Amino acid sequence: MATLEIRDLHVTVAEADGGVKEILRGVDLTIRSGEVHAIMGPNGSGKSTLAYSIAGHPKYTVTSGSVTLDGEDVLAMTVDERARAGLFLAMQYPVEVPGVTVSNFLRTAKTAVDGEAPKLRTWVKDVKQAMDDLRMDPTFAERNVNENFSGGEKKRHEILQMELLKPKFAVLDETDSGLDVDALKVVSEGVNRSLERTDVGVLLITHYTRILRYIKPQFVHVFVDGRVAEQGGPELADALEESGYDRFLAKA
Amino acid sequence: MTAVDETTDPNPTDPVTETPANGARAHSHGAGTVPDASRAERVTSYDVADFAVPRGREEEWKFSPLKVLAPLFAEAAADADETAHVEVSGPDAVEHRTGTPAEIGAGAGFRPGDRAAAASWAATTQAHLVRIPAEAELDAPVLVTVRGEAGRTTSGHLLIEAGHHSKGLVVLDHVGGGAHRGGVEVRVGDGAQVTVVSLQEWDDDAIHVGQHDVLVGRDAFARHIAVSLGGKAVRISANLRYAGPGGDAQLLGVYFADAAQHLEHRQFVDHEATNCKSYVEYKGALQGEGAHAVWIGDVLIRAAAEGTETYELNRNLLLTDGARADSVPNLEIETGEIVGAGHASATGRFDDEQLFYLQSRGMPEADARRLVVRGFFADIIGRIGLPDLAERLMATIETELAATMPGAHDALQAVATGTSTTTQTTTEEN
Ligand SMILES: Nc1ncnc2c1ncn2[C@@H]1O[C@H](COP(=O)(O)OP(=O)(O)OP(=O)(O)O)[C@@H](O)[C@H]1O
Ligand SMILES: [Mg+2]
C-alpha cells in the first residue's frame, strides 16, 4: 500500500513578459494505491499544472507546499527519479520524438524504470499483448514516437506505457479528450486492467464526465482557480454532469 | 526536434523557409547575397592554373579555414608521390582496376571545380575504377578504404561505374591522418540503382577536401551519403547532374562537429534534363568551442529542365555554446514548368519538451539526450542499408556525445547565414 500526498501546493509559472503568475494556490490531495480520484475542472483551472508539477516539469516552480510518496520528498527528485520512484504522467499532449521507434522507446523506458533490462522473451510477448489489448496494430511498434499519430493513437500509446511500466501512481491528463466512443472504451479498459493487475493509484484529470462512465472513481475533486473547491464521491460527478461548473465559477 | 531559429543574416529572411514539394511558390528572398550571377557560371577545369589559390574573399571559400587547408592547394612537385593508399574489396561480380585517370576512362563524369580538385587530378597517377557490370545486382557492398598517413599529402581519383540496370552499394571509408584530396566520379547507367556512401572517419589531425561528382543516367536512381565524423577540417563538395530524363537522386549527409573541428558540405544539383527528381538532406550536430559546420545547398533548375521536382533541407542541432553552423540554401529556377521546388534550413537546440517526456519515463538526462541525438540521425544513417555499419557510426556519435554530457544546453549560439535565393521564374504548376 503506497500513498501519494500533496499538501498545500503552490505553483507559479514565469510569464512571457517577465512576470510571475501563481496558478496552483494551495492544493491538498491524498491518494492511496488502488484508488481512483477524478479531478474535474474548467479550462485553465490548473489541472495540467498540477499534473506537470507532480512530474517535475521545469516550467513550473513550486513556491510552497509538499508532495510526498510514502513519505519521500518527491519535489527533491529529478524528473527521471520521480518516474523511477513509481510516478507516471499520461500527457494531455504527448511529444514527438523523431527517429525513435515506439519499440525502442518502450524498452528504454522499461529498462530505466526497472533499473534492469526486461527479459527479452517475456518483454516482446508483453508488449504484443498490451498492444493487442489496446487494439493497436503491430506495425505501430516500428513507428516513431508520436510522429504523425492521431489524437487517439497518442492516448493509446500513453496508456500502453502505463500498462507496461506499472507505476505506483498514474496521473492521466485529459486522456479522454479527442477520443471517439470506441477509443474511449478501449483506453478505459486499459486503465481498468492496470487497476486490477497492479493496484495502481490513479489521478484522472478530466473536463467532462464521460470517461467516468467507464472508469469509476471513488473520489471526485472539483478544481477551480488553482485549488480544490469541493470534493465528494461519484455523485459529485453526476451533479456536475447536470449543472456544469457554473456554480463553482460563480463562487470563485 | 523543434527548431529554434536564430539568424544574424544582414538581410534577414525567414530562417526556416519551407516550400511544399508540390506546387512551386514564388520566393522573394532576392535580398540575400547572391554568390555568382548564376551557379552555372562557376569555373570547372582540369588545369590547376585556372584556379587561383583561395584567399578567403571568394564566395565559395569564405567559410573554410584556408590556413589549415593550405597543403591541399599546392601543386604536387614533379617528383612527389602523392598516391593514396587504397584498399578495395567486394563481390566477385565487381571489376577493380587501377591506372592513370586516362587509362581507367575517368573524367567523362567529372570536372574539377576548385583548386584542390584540379591539383588532385593533376597529381593522381594511380586512379581506381570500380565497375558494376550492366544488370548485375550486388549481394554485398563494395568497400573502398582510403588510408591517409600523418605528414603526407595524398591525391586520388575513384571512378565508380554502374552499368545499366545494375544495383549496388559502395562504401568509401576515409581513415588515418595527413592531408587528402580526392575526386570521386560516380557514373550511374540507365535504370541503375546505386548508393555511394563516403565516410570521413579521419584521425583528429587529418584534413580533407573532396569533390564527388554523380552523373545519373536515364530513369536511374542514385544516392550519395556523406558521413563526416573525424578530421580537423573536411570539405566535401557533392555535385549532381543528370545524363538523361527520369533520374531520381538523393544527396544525404550527417556530420558531428567537435571543438575546433570544421566540417563543410557543399552540394550543387544541376537540373538540365527533364522530369528528374532531387532530394538533399543534411543533418548535423555540433558541440564544443570552435566547432564549425557549413552547409551550402545550391540547386539550379535550368530552362530546359521541365518537370523537375527538388527539395533540400539542412538541420543543425547545437549541443553546446561556442559552436557555429552556417547554412545556406540557394535555389535558382529558370523555368516555371516544374513539379515543385523548395528548401528548408533550421538550426536549433535540444527540445526541452522532448527531454522532459523521455525523463518522465525514467531515463536520466544524459540517456534522454543520447536517444534524441540517435533519433535525429537515425533516418539518414538507416538509409545506408547496412545495420552493422549504422550501429558503428551511431556508437562513434555517442562516444563524441559523451564528451560534453551533461551539456550546457541553455547557452547556445546559432548563426544561420539565412537563405539566399535567386529566383528567375517561378510559377504555379499543377
Ligand atoms: N507560461 C505561462 N504563462 C502564463 N500563463 C500560463 C503559462 N502556463 C500556463 N498558464 C496559465 O495557467 C492556467 C492553468 O493552465 P493549465 O494548463 O494548468 O489548465 P488546465 O486546467 O489544464 O486547462 P485545460 O482544461 O485547458 O487543459 C491557464 O490560465 C494558463 O493560461
Ligand atoms: Mg490541461
Side-chain angles (χ1 to χ4, degrees):
Chain A
M1 169 70 82
T3 307
L4 180 67
E5 212 172 332
I6 300 163
R7 283 285 156 268
D8 193 32
L9 193 67
H10 289 254
V11 171
T12 62
V13 291
E15 287 176 304
D17 63 9
V20 172
K21 180 175 170 188
E22 181 164 69
I23 298 177
L24 298 190
R25 306 189 303 137
V27 178
D28 290 290
L29 268 179
T30 302
I31 309 159
R32 292 183 182 81
S33 296
E35 293 178 354
V36 177
H37 292 246
I39 300 224
M40 306 192 58
N43 293 129
S45 56
K47 304 182 299 293
S48 291
T49 301
L50 175 64
Y52 278 127
S53 301
I54 295 171
H57 193 292
K59 185 175 129 183
Y60 302 93
T61 308
V62 175
T63 50
S64 67
S66 66
V67 178
T68 55
L69 175 58
D70 291 333
E72 295 282 329
D73 183 3
V74 169
L75 299 177
M77 300 178 194
T78 60
V79 175
D80 48 300
E81 283 167 354
R82 295 178 199 207
R84 294 199 295 275
L87 298 179
F88 178 83
L89 169 60
M91 304 210 186
Q92 184 172 4
Y93 303 109
V95 186
E96 288 181 10
V97 192
V100 177
T101 61
V102 166
S103 106
N104 183 11
F105 169 75
L106 292 174
R107 194 168 12 84
T108 309
K110 182 67 177 171
T111 305
V113 164
D114 287 5
E116 60 177 357
K119 286 215 176 55
L120 199 63
R121 287 264 294 290
T122 47
W123 174 247
V124 170
K125 217 178 77 218
D126 289 352
V127 172
K128 218 168 151 276
Q129 183 62 50
M131 286 180 60
D132 204 46
D133 289 342
L134 287 165
R135 318 271 198 285
M136 296 169 83
D137 194 88
T139 57
F140 215 83
E142 294 318 313
R143 291 177 59 183
N144 292 336
V145 172
N146 291 320
E147 210 175 64
N148 305 317
F149 284 18
S150 69
E153 286 170 339
K154 284 182 183 165
K155 298 303 170 76
R156 282 171 212 236
H157 180 234
E158 294 294 287
I159 299 307
L160 174 68
Q161 293 168 56
M162 173 183 177
E163 288 202 64
L164 292 168
L165 299 179
K166 303 184 172 37
K168 287 184 185 150
F169 291 97
V171 181
L172 311 182
D173 191 4
E174 308 253 4
T175 295
D176 54 327
S177 76
L179 297 183
D180 61 27
V181 178
D182 291 336
L184 182 62
K185 278 187 198 160
V186 167
V187 161
S188 301
E189 280 166 20
V191 175
N192 289 330
R193 266 194 306 276
S194 281
L195 280 163
E196 280 163 30
R197 290 177 188 168
T198 67
D199 207 29
V200 61
V202 173
L203 198 59
L204 188 66
I205 293 176
T206 181
H207 185 90
Y208 299 102
T209 50
R210 61 182 202 140
I211 195 171
L212 305 182
R213 279 175 225 143
Y214 305 101
I215 305 172
K216 294 289 173 202
Q218 292 92 36
F219 307 91
V220 175
H221 312 264
V222 181
F223 214 69
V224 179
D225 204 18
R227 55 162 72 102
V228 176
E230 190 167 332
Q231 40 196 336
E235 72 290 342
L236 185 52
D238 297 336
L240 282 172
E241 174 88 39
E242 302 272 306
S243 59
Y245 294 110
D246 291 353
R247 152 168 91 89
F248 299 100
L249 290 174
K251 229 175 11 181
Chain B
M1 191 106 351
T2 299
V4 177
D5 320 306
E6 293 149 86
T7 175
T8 56
D9 189 35
N11 303 301
T13 54
D14 184 2
V16 181
T17 310
E18 306 234 17
T19 310
N22 48 17
R25 242 192 261 148
H27 295 276
S28 52
H29 308 299
T33 14
V34 179
D36 305 294
S38 164
R39 182 62 172 82
E41 286 161 23
R42 195 79 60 83
V43 173
T44 59
S45 168
Y46 295 101
D47 187 355
V48 187
D50 288 338
F51 302 96
V53 173
R55 299 269 170 249
R57 305 292 298 271
E58 305 79 0
E59 179 62 35
E60 68 262 44
W61 289 104
K62 70 177 186 189
F63 295 112
S64 308
L66 296 176
K67 278 205 189 88
V68 177
L69 295 176
L72 298 173
F73 302 129
E75 281 186 85
D79 58 344
D81 178 13
E82 291 202 353
T83 308
H85 185 75
V86 177
E87 297 149 32
V88 178
S89 64
D92 290 343
V94 175
E95 180 193 343
H96 172 223
R97 276 202 292 133
T98 61
T100 63
E103 282 166 356
I104 65 158
F110 183 93
R111 276 182 75 83
D114 62 42
R115 184 162 173 105
S120 171
W121 178 268
T124 298
T125 49
Q126 199 182 31
H128 291 257
L129 166 69
V130 166
R131 209 173 63 83
I132 306 171
E135 296 183 32
E137 298 194 4
L138 302 188
D139 52 6
V142 179
L143 179 62
V144 181
T145 305
V146 174
R147 203 174 298 278
E149 286 167 56
R152 266 192 90 203
T153 296
T154 54
S155 296
H157 190 85
L158 170 66
L159 167 60
I160 298 166
E161 207 177 60
H164 70 83
H165 301 95
S166 64
K167 270 191 192 173
L169 167 61
V170 179
V171 178
L172 167 62
D173 196 4
H174 297 94
V175 298
H180 180 70
R181 47 191 178 193
V184 175
E185 177 177 354
V186 185
R187 298 209 295 253
V188 184
D190 293 350
Q193 297 180 28
V194 174
T195 296
V196 175
V197 182
S198 180
L199 309 175
Q200 284 67 245
E201 298 189 284
W202 296 109
D203 295 346
D204 286 347
D205 60 350
I207 57 169
H208 177 196
V209 173
Q211 177 179 331
H212 298 189
D213 284 7
V214 182
L215 183 62
V216 185
R218 183 188 187 104
D219 298 327
F221 173 78
R223 183 186 266 167
H224 179 277
I225 307 178
V227 179
S228 298
L229 303 175
K232 178 164 185 52
V234 172
R235 173 176 152 132
I236 305 289
S237 303
N239 303 312
L240 186 62
R241 288 186 303 131
Y242 298 84
D248 182 359
Q250 302 179 346
L251 299 178
L252 310 175
V254 302
Y255 46 90
F256 194 116
D258 268 318
Q261 189 180 27
H262 177 94
L263 300 176
E264 179 166 346
H265 298 90
R266 301 180 156 254
Q267 302 88 48
F268 176 36
V269 181
D270 188 348
H271 279 283
E272 190 158 24
T274 56
N275 299 310
C276 290
K277 273 196 212 175
S278 61
Y279 179 77
V280 178
E281 182 176 354
Y282 272 70
K283 283 179 143 186
L286 296 85
Q287 69 178 15
E289 196 60 40
H292 190 196
V294 177
W295 176 81
I296 311 291
D298 291 340
V299 175
L300 168 62
I301 304 174
R302 296 181 191 256
E306 294 183 359
T308 293
E309 186 174 346
T310 180
Y311 196 81
E312 54 171 345
L313 169 66
N314 176 227
R315 295 244 181 278
N316 288 297
L317 182 56
L318 291 165
L319 303 175
T320 68
D321 200 0
R324 174 188 167 115
D326 288 292
S327 178
V328 189
N330 185 50
L331 184 56
E332 274 181 84
I333 307 174
E334 295 175 347
T335 172
E337 305 299 312
I338 61 170
V339 177
H343 60 74
S345 160
T347 297
R349 57 180 180 83
F350 270 120
D351 179 349
D352 288 340
E353 295 301 325
Q354 254 173 22
L355 289 178
F356 171 73
Y357 189 59
L358 297 175
Q359 284 180 264
S360 79
R361 270 40 176 169
M363 299 171 213
E365 187 176 349
D367 290 1
R369 282 167 183 268
R370 198 153 35 230
L371 198 60
V372 169
V373 170
R374 194 173 247 274
F376 180 67
F377 288 123
D379 183 38
I380 292 179
I381 287 188
R383 275 185 273 176
I384 294 174
L386 296 173
D388 289 353
L389 177 58
E391 203 39 57
R392 189 181 95 208
L393 297 172
M394 280 296 189
T396 305
I397 288 169
E398 290 186 358
T399 306
E400 303 213 20
L401 198 57
T404 51
M405 271 190 320
H409 65 285
D410 325 318
L412 289 151
Q413 176 205 356
V415 183
T417 315
T419 53
S420 59
T421 306
T422 33
T423 307
Q424 268 82 46
T425 329
T426 317
T427 50
E428 295 276 343
E429 231 268 324
N430 45 332

Short mmCIF file of all heavy atoms in Angstrom, two decimals, chain B residues 317-338:
data_model
loop_
_atom_site.label_atom_id
_atom_site.label_comp_id
_atom_site.label_asym_id
_atom_site.label_seq_id
_atom_site.Cartn_x
_atom_site.Cartn_y
_atom_site.Cartn_z
N LEU B 317 21.82 20.74 -35.03
CA LEU B 317 21.50 20.63 -33.61
C LEU B 317 22.72 21.12 -32.83
O LEU B 317 23.77 20.49 -32.86
CB LEU B 317 21.20 19.16 -33.30
CG LEU B 317 20.79 18.77 -31.90
CD1 LEU B 317 19.57 19.55 -31.46
CD2 LEU B 317 20.49 17.28 -31.87
N LEU B 318 22.56 22.26 -32.19
CA LEU B 318 23.68 22.82 -31.42
C LEU B 318 23.62 22.28 -30.00
O LEU B 318 22.67 22.52 -29.28
CB LEU B 318 23.58 24.34 -31.41
CG LEU B 318 23.84 25.03 -32.75
CD1 LEU B 318 23.37 26.46 -32.72
CD2 LEU B 318 25.31 24.96 -33.12
N LEU B 319 24.64 21.55 -29.62
CA LEU B 319 24.61 20.88 -28.32
C LEU B 319 25.23 21.72 -27.21
O LEU B 319 24.96 21.48 -26.04
CB LEU B 319 25.33 19.53 -28.41
CG LEU B 319 24.78 18.57 -29.47
CD1 LEU B 319 25.64 17.31 -29.54
CD2 LEU B 319 23.35 18.19 -29.17
N THR B 320 26.11 22.63 -27.58
CA THR B 320 26.76 23.46 -26.56
C THR B 320 26.96 24.87 -27.09
O THR B 320 26.79 25.14 -28.28
CB THR B 320 28.17 22.94 -26.20
OG1 THR B 320 29.03 23.13 -27.32
CG2 THR B 320 28.17 21.48 -25.79
N ASP B 321 27.39 25.71 -26.20
CA ASP B 321 27.80 27.05 -26.56
C ASP B 321 29.10 26.98 -27.38
O ASP B 321 29.81 25.99 -27.31
CB ASP B 321 28.09 27.81 -25.24
CG ASP B 321 28.04 29.30 -25.44
OD1 ASP B 321 27.79 29.74 -26.57
OD2 ASP B 321 28.26 30.00 -24.45
N GLY B 322 29.37 28.01 -28.14
CA GLY B 322 30.67 28.11 -28.81
C GLY B 322 30.73 27.42 -30.16
O GLY B 322 31.75 27.45 -30.82
N ALA B 323 29.66 26.77 -30.56
CA ALA B 323 29.63 26.10 -31.86
C ALA B 323 28.90 26.99 -32.86
O ALA B 323 28.07 27.81 -32.48
CB ALA B 323 28.92 24.76 -31.75
N ARG B 324 29.26 26.83 -34.11
CA ARG B 324 28.64 27.69 -35.12
C ARG B 324 28.25 26.88 -36.35
O ARG B 324 29.05 26.09 -36.87
CB ARG B 324 29.66 28.78 -35.50
CG ARG B 324 29.21 29.65 -36.65
CD ARG B 324 30.37 30.56 -37.08
NE ARG B 324 30.03 31.17 -38.36
CZ ARG B 324 29.83 32.48 -38.54
NH1 ARG B 324 29.97 33.31 -37.55
NH2 ARG B 324 29.52 32.95 -39.73
N ALA B 325 27.03 27.11 -36.81
CA ALA B 325 26.55 26.42 -38.01
C ALA B 325 26.16 27.45 -39.05
O ALA B 325 25.34 28.32 -38.78
CB ALA B 325 25.36 25.54 -37.67
N ASP B 326 26.76 27.37 -40.21
CA ASP B 326 26.35 28.21 -41.33
C ASP B 326 25.56 27.35 -42.31
O ASP B 326 26.02 26.26 -42.68
CB ASP B 326 27.58 28.79 -42.04
CG ASP B 326 28.25 29.86 -41.21
OD1 ASP B 326 27.64 30.93 -41.04
OD2 ASP B 326 29.37 29.62 -40.70
N SER B 327 24.43 27.83 -42.69
CA SER B 327 23.54 27.03 -43.52
C SER B 327 22.93 27.90 -44.60
O SER B 327 22.22 28.85 -44.30
CB SER B 327 22.44 26.45 -42.61
OG SER B 327 21.53 25.70 -43.35
N VAL B 328 23.28 27.61 -45.84
CA VAL B 328 22.84 28.48 -46.94
C VAL B 328 22.23 27.68 -48.08
O VAL B 328 22.94 27.10 -48.89
CB VAL B 328 24.02 29.30 -47.51
CG1 VAL B 328 23.51 30.34 -48.50
CG2 VAL B 328 24.83 29.97 -46.42
N PRO B 329 20.93 27.63 -48.16
CA PRO B 329 20.30 27.03 -49.34
C PRO B 329 20.23 28.07 -50.45
O PRO B 329 20.07 29.25 -50.18
CB PRO B 329 18.90 26.65 -48.84
CG PRO B 329 18.62 27.56 -47.70
CD PRO B 329 19.94 28.06 -47.16
N ASN B 330 20.37 27.63 -51.66
CA ASN B 330 20.34 28.56 -52.78
C ASN B 330 19.66 27.89 -53.96
O ASN B 330 20.18 26.94 -54.53
CB ASN B 330 21.77 28.97 -53.15
CG ASN B 330 21.80 30.02 -54.22
OD1 ASN B 330 21.10 31.03 -54.13
ND2 ASN B 330 22.58 29.79 -55.26
N LEU B 331 18.50 28.39 -54.29
CA LEU B 331 17.68 27.75 -55.31
C LEU B 331 17.49 28.71 -56.47
O LEU B 331 16.99 29.81 -56.30
CB LEU B 331 16.34 27.41 -54.66
CG LEU B 331 15.26 26.65 -55.40
CD1 LEU B 331 15.78 25.32 -55.92
CD2 LEU B 331 14.09 26.39 -54.43
N GLU B 332 17.94 28.28 -57.65
CA GLU B 332 17.78 29.11 -58.86
C GLU B 332 16.84 28.38 -59.79
O GLU B 332 17.09 27.22 -60.15
CB GLU B 332 19.12 29.19 -59.60
CG GLU B 332 20.06 30.27 -59.17
CD GLU B 332 21.31 30.20 -60.05
OE1 GLU B 332 21.29 30.77 -61.15
OE2 GLU B 332 22.28 29.55 -59.64
N ILE B 333 15.81 29.04 -60.21
CA ILE B 333 14.82 28.37 -61.06
C ILE B 333 14.63 29.16 -62.34
O ILE B 333 14.23 30.32 -62.30
CB ILE B 333 13.49 28.22 -60.31
CG1 ILE B 333 13.72 27.54 -58.96
CG2 ILE B 333 12.51 27.41 -61.14
CD1 ILE B 333 12.49 27.47 -58.08
N GLU B 334 14.94 28.51 -63.47
CA GLU B 334 14.85 29.22 -64.75
C GLU B 334 13.66 28.79 -65.58
O GLU B 334 13.52 29.21 -66.72
CB GLU B 334 16.16 29.01 -65.53
CG GLU B 334 17.36 29.64 -64.83
CD GLU B 334 18.69 29.36 -65.53
OE1 GLU B 334 18.73 28.48 -66.41
OE2 GLU B 334 19.69 30.02 -65.17
N THR B 335 12.85 27.90 -65.06
CA THR B 335 11.64 27.54 -65.81
C THR B 335 10.47 27.43 -64.85
O THR B 335 10.64 27.07 -63.69
CB THR B 335 11.80 26.19 -66.55
OG1 THR B 335 10.52 25.83 -67.10
CG2 THR B 335 12.23 25.07 -65.62
N GLY B 336 9.30 27.77 -65.33
CA GLY B 336 8.11 27.65 -64.49
C GLY B 336 7.49 26.28 -64.57
O GLY B 336 6.65 25.92 -63.76
N GLU B 337 7.93 25.51 -65.56
CA GLU B 337 7.29 24.21 -65.79
C GLU B 337 7.89 23.13 -64.90
O GLU B 337 8.48 22.18 -65.39
CB GLU B 337 7.44 23.81 -67.27
CG GLU B 337 6.91 24.85 -68.24
CD GLU B 337 5.42 25.10 -68.06
OE1 GLU B 337 4.66 24.12 -67.99
OE2 GLU B 337 5.02 26.27 -67.94
N ILE B 338 7.76 23.32 -63.60
CA ILE B 338 8.33 22.32 -62.70
C ILE B 338 7.24 21.74 -61.82
O ILE B 338 6.16 22.31 -61.68
CB ILE B 338 9.45 22.92 -61.81
CG1 ILE B 338 8.90 24.05 -60.94
CG2 ILE B 338 10.60 23.40 -62.67
CD1 ILE B 338 9.88 24.50 -59.89
#
